[in-house]
Amino acid sequence: MEREKKGAVGVVGVLKAVEAAREDPSEQNLESLLRLAYGYDSFRQGQLEAIQNVVAGESTMLVLPTGAGKSLCYQIPAMILSGLTLVVSPLLSLMVDQLRKLPAFLPGGLLASSQTSDEFHETLQRLRAGDIKVLFVSPERFLNEEFLLIFKDALPISLVAIDEAHCISEWSHNFRPSYLRLRASLLRRKLNVQCILAMTATATTQTLEEIMNALEIPSNNLVKTSQIRDNLQLSISMSDNRLKDLMLLLKSSPFVDMRSIIVYCKFQGETDYVSKYLCDNNISAKSYHSGLSMKNRSRVQELFCSNKIRVVVATVAFGMGLDKSDVEGVIHYSLPESLEEYVQETGRAGRDGRLSHCHLLLDSTTFYKIRSLSHSDGVDEYAISKFLYQVFSCDNPMGSICSLVKELTSRKFDIKEEVLLTVLTQLEIGGQQYLRLLPQFSVTCTLYFHKTSPQLLADKDVLVRSVLNKSETKDGNFVFEVTKIANDLNITVNEVIDHLQQLKFSGEISFELKDPAYCYVILKKPDDLNTLSATITKWLSEVESSKIMKLDAMFALANFAVKGCQRTDGCSGSQHTQCIQKKITEYFSKNKATSDNDCRAQPHKSSPFLQADIKVFLQSNSFAKFTPRAVARIMHGISSPGFLSATWSKNHFWGRYVEVDFPVVMEAAKAELVKFVGKGE
Ligand SMILES: Nc1ncnc2c1ncn2[C@@H]1O[C@H](COP(=O)(O)OP(=O)(O)OP(=O)(O)O)[C@@H](O)[C@H]1O
């Protein structure tokens, strides 16, 4: 009873503070709201400025370290502003977490493609009734016209907050094609949004420039503090035997006294055997990676958060949105792929502000392996050109829906699905809009009739009639492409599926969908496909080089720390906080990723046996059709859609030349292929 009364008084107090801050968003009023709503005494660096900007309707770029409190910078404006706050977030687990952490008097919801239709409609209903103030959505939602229409008249949006905004930039360490569509122009046109808050913990100057351009954030609305917290002790050591050195670390000070440690590995398999090794040595540990089921992952996170296990051995998949304040140590078993990743991952330690320790085990073999994998997104101009021909050769007339089955297309052109999507997105939002992307659907449908005969049902139902006209029969069932029916009847793919669902509920039919596909509508065919292919390939290869530069910069920093930093004040033994902090600050303020020449990795520029080995490889595998890139990938041990590791890793040459620079291997392969083809082999 007493508690209820207190709660009621609390809410009234907060509402009054919200009202006061709405009338005058002064430091004093906002601080009083912070105290009443969250119980915190003062704002952390950067928070007040960002909140005041946003409340004044000014789009803002906010760069705060991990765990510094970015969420508060959209939550407080969401209380004050009259309309809805839309928060774009890259991961479902992150959205669920952020939704759970909203203060009780700030009602929220989320719209995700994994929701059931009932959950989706319930959220819509609450939205329309004005019962939601903060709505979390994935970037993919912005492809969906129906989603955008929800806001057309009825629901004014006051603010769009974009979390992990670095995903917008292809120069970031974590580029996501679906984030590319988040442009100020689209948000303004489709959602009538004037104010955008972009948030990230890690962005170089180049990445920031690109985000701010895309979102039209004025340059003086950048709120940025140091990207690394100074309660982190950073150290690095060279390791020839990482398992042994990891054990040594965990058994000696300061790690031996810690209750909560994250060990980061590059590969899923690595996390499993490292955690098993730790368990065998009486250290309570569990592995975590995206290959585990959602349920298992939640279980490991829960066990870790409640301190029931001491160590989580994880890939990069662990930690986004993890708000465990008392992680005392982070150990990098593998080199992070960039300084951004290093800053993000070390930032999971010491969120409570207490002194925490981060150690990196450096070994050059892992570095070469990761460097080699950085080439897995690379593409050749003629493959892009062939892909573009297919995109625009869609038999359907302009304006109708086209589709490309993801797996099939990826295998055919030997280009990863993610890269295909990047190219399609570029065709939509590049200088010229050639197409409009639609949400992805499974396009191949098999239909089974249960009650009425197909012909009789077709007489009554126009969609069934179209299905009978457009399908093939396989084993007595009707198989068709959903897009063909949508085009035939001039309706959307969603409408086709809805109609099939209704027939299913009435017991007439059942159906199965397969073959997830990219769907799009062509708006304009390019005049010169060759020039377009060349431009896109050049851009993709710049993105690939930037990724390698980032890794090289990370390696150079680690190498500098272990080999050359004795001269730096404050560094001693394996303690390198001073020099690492300095290098990180320099890196984030430079325009492009660069690395110290003297500490940069130098992959081998040649090998005496390379050419001869490629020759033998081509002779013994003359049944397959190779490109220079495909040969180089096999020599580097890189799986690709056309040459999967499941088949090719058994080959004698798989991964043999991982330490020779990839372009050098490609050149050698090209020379051999020319000879090979010349001989008519
Ligand atoms: N002014 C403040 N005073 C004290 N604690 C705060 C303040 N602002 C935020 N916090 C707390 O700091 C923690 C981290 O906040 P939050 O999750 O928003 O960080 P973040 O910047 O989004 O981190 P990440 O980049 O890792 O997602 C939360 O528990 C939050 O309640």
Side-chain angles (χ1 to χ4, degrees):
M1 180 70 185
E2 188 53 27
R3 254 176 59 199
E4 254 172 42
K5 216 164 110 193
K6 250 191 194 165
V9 172
V11 173
V12 173
V14 173
L15 292 179
K16 273 192 184 158
V18 168
E19 206 45 56
R22 190 173 290 147
E23 264 169 34
D24 175 17
S26 63
E27 179 172 350
Q28 197 189 1
N29 283 346
L30 288 168
E31 242 175 27
S32 134
L33 176 55
L34 175 78
R35 252 190 310 276
L36 286 163
Y38 296 89
Y40 301 144
D41 290 334
S42 58
F43 284 110
R44 289 182 178 159
Q45 204 188 350
Q47 286 181 323
L48 179 67
E49 193 184 341
I51 293 169
Q52 283 183 319
N53 271 359
V54 170
V55 171
E58 296 267 348
S59 288
T60 299
M61 176 81 237
L62 176 65
V63 189
L64 294 185
T66 48
K70 288 182 283 296
S71 323
L72 216 94
C73 300
Y74 66 78
Q75 288 178 4
I76 291 190
M79 294 177 203
I80 296 172
L81 298 168
S82 57
L84 183 73
T85 290
L86 212 60
V87 183
V88 185
S89 205
L91 287 179
L92 179 64
S93 56
L94 199 60
M95 286 192 246
V96 173
D97 219 49
Q98 287 168 331
L99 176 63
R100 193 174 45 79
K101 281 197 256 156
L102 284 181
F105 44 86
L106 193 57
L110 76 84
L111 287 179
S113 44
S114 57
Q115 278 172 317
T116 62
S117 162
D118 283 353
E119 285 168 338
F120 182 81
H121 285 108
E122 196 217 309
T123 308
L124 272 192
Q125 235 170 24
R126 288 179 53 220
L127 253 179
R128 295 204 167 105
D131 290 345
I132 289 182
K133 280 294 282 178
V134 181
L135 180 70
F136 294 92
V137 293
S138 64
E140 285 76 16
R141 282 275 144 204
F142 291 82
L143 279 175
N144 194 324
E145 285 292 319
E146 286 163 57
F147 165 74
L148 297 170
L149 281 176
I150 299 173
F151 304 98
K152 187 128 181 72
D153 305 310
L155 286 166
I157 299 174
S158 296
L159 170 67
V160 171
I162 303 178
D163 202 8
E164 310 293 343
H166 52 265
C167 297
I168 288 180
S169 165
E170 65 272 37
W171 312 119
S172 80
H173 61 298
N174 208 358
F175 164 60
R176 286 266 303 265
S178 48
Y179 260 75
L180 261 186
R181 301 183 86 255
L182 300 172
R183 323 253 107 191
S185 47
L186 176 124
L187 297 175
R188 217 178 291 124
R189 200 175 62 243
K190 299 277 184 182
L191 300 174
N192 196 21
V193 169
Q194 303 306 327
C195 185
I196 301 169
L197 172 67
M199 303 178 291
T200 177
T202 42
T204 57
T205 306
Q206 189 187 21
T207 302
L208 282 181
E209 260 171 28
E210 201 179 0
I211 303 172
M212 292 171 78
N213 268 339
L215 300 176
E216 295 174 19
I217 298 175
S219 56
N220 48 355
N221 285 358
L222 169 64
V223 179
K224 181 177 168 196
T225 68
S226 146
Q227 301 191 30
I228 189 150
R229 271 185 279 112
D230 46 19
N231 63 328
L232 302 178
Q233 278 276 352
L234 308 169
S235 56
I236 302 179
S237 64
M238 204 76 192
S239 175
D240 293 334
N241 186 338
R242 288 180 295 154
L243 261 186
K244 190 178 119 232
D245 291 342
L246 175 66
M247 270 313 296
L248 271 176
L249 265 180
L250 290 172
K251 296 223 153 153
S252 50
S253 173
F255 290 95
V256 70
D257 301 316
M258 294 179 189
R259 258 195 332 173
S260 221
I261 300 170
I262 306 175
V263 175
Y264 277 111
C265 298
K266 168 73 189 159
F267 304 104
Q268 295 186 356
E270 228 169 29
T271 65
D272 291 333
Y273 78 69
V274 171
S275 80
K276 181 170 181 314
Y277 183 81
L278 297 185
C279 290
D280 291 346
N281 284 278
N282 300 321
I283 293 177
S284 69
K286 289 245 179 266
S287 62
Y288 183 106
H289 53 76
S290 51
L292 298 177
S293 67
M294 198 66 172
K295 199 171 141 215
N296 271 340
R297 273 188 275 168
S298 312
R299 218 186 102 244
V300 175
Q301 182 156 336
E302 241 173 71
L303 288 171
F304 185 61
C305 287
S306 55
N307 291 324
K308 296 207 174 77
I309 46 172
R310 192 171 150 227
V311 181
V312 165
V313 187
T315 59
V316 64
F318 185 69
M320 225 192 228
L322 176 83
D323 191 19
K324 179 168 167 53
S325 61
D326 59 353
V327 176
E328 292 158 290
V330 166
I331 299 176
H332 277 100
Y333 185 80
S334 313
L335 186 74
E337 286 182 28
S338 61
L339 276 158
E340 287 94 322
E341 199 176 300
Y342 178 70
V343 168
Q344 285 268 2
E345 290 172 351
T346 49
R348 311 260 148 76
R351 286 165 76 101
D352 53 9
R354 299 221 312 235
L355 181 69
S356 306
H357 297 264
C358 305
H359 189 88
L360 190 158
L361 293 169
L362 178 66
D363 79 313
S364 50
T365 312
T366 311
F367 164 69
Y368 284 118
K369 229 194 234 170
I370 300 173
R371 196 173 197 279
S372 164
L373 286 176
S374 307
H375 290 283
S376 55
D377 285 355
V379 288
D380 295 313
E381 188 174 326
Y382 75 87
I384 290 291
S385 160
K386 274 176 25 196
F387 171 60
L388 292 189
Y389 270 101
Q390 169 143 1
V391 169
F392 291 106
S393 74
C394 174
D395 301 332
N396 306 328
M398 203 96 93
S400 59
I401 305 165
C402 306
S403 63
L404 294 167
V405 173
K406 285 161 61 169
E407 200 200 330
L408 211 74
T409 315
S410 166
R411 213 165 349 111
K412 178 170 171 193
F413 299 107
D414 199 15
I415 303 178
K416 279 164 67 175
E417 288 179 13
E418 189 85 343
V419 179
L420 293 180
L421 180 60
T422 304
V423 174
L424 289 171
T425 313
Q426 203 42 258
L427 293 174
E428 182 181 29
I429 59 135
Q432 172 81 52
Q433 186 176 7
Y434 293 108
L435 49 84
R436 184 159 58 81
L437 272 177
L438 304 173
Q440 295 172 23
F441 288 101
S442 294
V443 286
T444 310
C445 184
T446 309
L447 195 66
Y448 310 92
F449 288 88
H450 297 306
K451 267 198 211 156
T452 318
S453 77
Q455 212 51 60
L456 277 180
L457 196 57
D459 289 344
K460 288 192 281 183
D461 190 306
V462 64
L463 191 135
V464 175
R465 201 174 319 139
S466 173
V467 167
L468 296 201
N469 283 335
K470 302 274 170 198
S471 53
E472 292 172 22
T473 39
K474 274 191 192 152
D475 303 327
N477 300 312
F478 294 83
V479 181
F480 60 93
E481 264 181 49
V482 179
T483 44
K484 282 198 177 149
I485 309 302
N487 288 333
D488 188 32
L489 301 176
N490 204 13
I491 56 178
T492 65
V493 173
N494 253 342
E495 285 166 329
V496 176
I497 308 285
D498 282 350
H499 193 102
L500 291 174
Q501 287 288 11
Q502 281 166 21
L503 288 172
K504 185 178 160 191
F505 287 139
S506 66
E508 286 288 358
I509 62 154
S510 60
F511 63 95
E512 277 165 18
L513 287 166
K514 62 171 189 178
D515 296 337
Y518 300 116
C519 300
Y520 58 96
V521 175
I522 299 175
L523 301 179
K524 178 186 177 341
K525 296 211 176 185
D527 300 328
D528 180 358
L529 265 185
N530 291 338
T531 311
L532 186 60
S533 312
T535 314
I536 289 182
T537 313
K538 182 166 174 281
W539 174 70
L540 286 172
S541 89
E542 280 165 9
V543 174
E544 187 188 355
S545 309
S546 144
K547 219 170 148 185
I548 290 164
M549 285 295 284
K550 281 182 188 299
L551 175 67
D552 284 354
M554 181 68 237
F555 181 78
L557 178 143
N559 217 15
F560 172 78
V562 292
K563 291 196 180 138
C565 89
Q566 292 90 336
R567 294 177 300 272
T568 311
D569 286 346
C571 293
S572 64
S574 66
Q575 287 304 326
H576 306 106
T577 311
Q578 308 287 334
C579 80
I580 297 175
Q581 274 186 349
K582 188 165 150 250
K583 294 261 172 203
I584 287 174
T585 309
E586 273 169 24
Y587 173 83
F588 282 111
S589 56
K590 267 186 206 156
N591 240 339
K592 279 202 166 157
T594 51
S595 49
D596 290 325
N597 272 338
D598 49 342
C599 290
R600 214 173 40 201
Q602 297 291 349
H604 304 305
K605 289 290 171 212
S606 187
S607 160
F609 307 111
L610 176 65
Q611 205 80 32
D613 276 351
I614 291 178
K615 189 171 171 185
V616 174
F617 170 77
L618 291 177
Q619 279 166 347
S620 52
N621 293 284
S622 56
F623 59 91
K625 237 179 130 186
F626 293 109
T627 62
R629 186 176 295 278
V631 175
R633 280 181 179 153
I634 289 169
M635 297 286 151
H636 262 245
I638 304 172
S639 184
S640 74
F643 299 89
L644 292 169
S645 63
T647 315
W648 289 92
S649 62
K650 295 172 200 109
N651 190 285
H652 174 67
F653 293 102
W654 178 259
R656 266 208 160 188
Y657 285 93
V658 70
E659 294 193 8
V660 178
D661 212 7
F662 190 85
V664 173
V665 185
M666 243 176 90
E667 271 311 305
K670 195 165 155 193
E672 274 316 305
L673 274 168
V674 169
K675 284 191 228 158
F676 203 68
V677 174
K679 277 194 216 153
E681 284 180 79

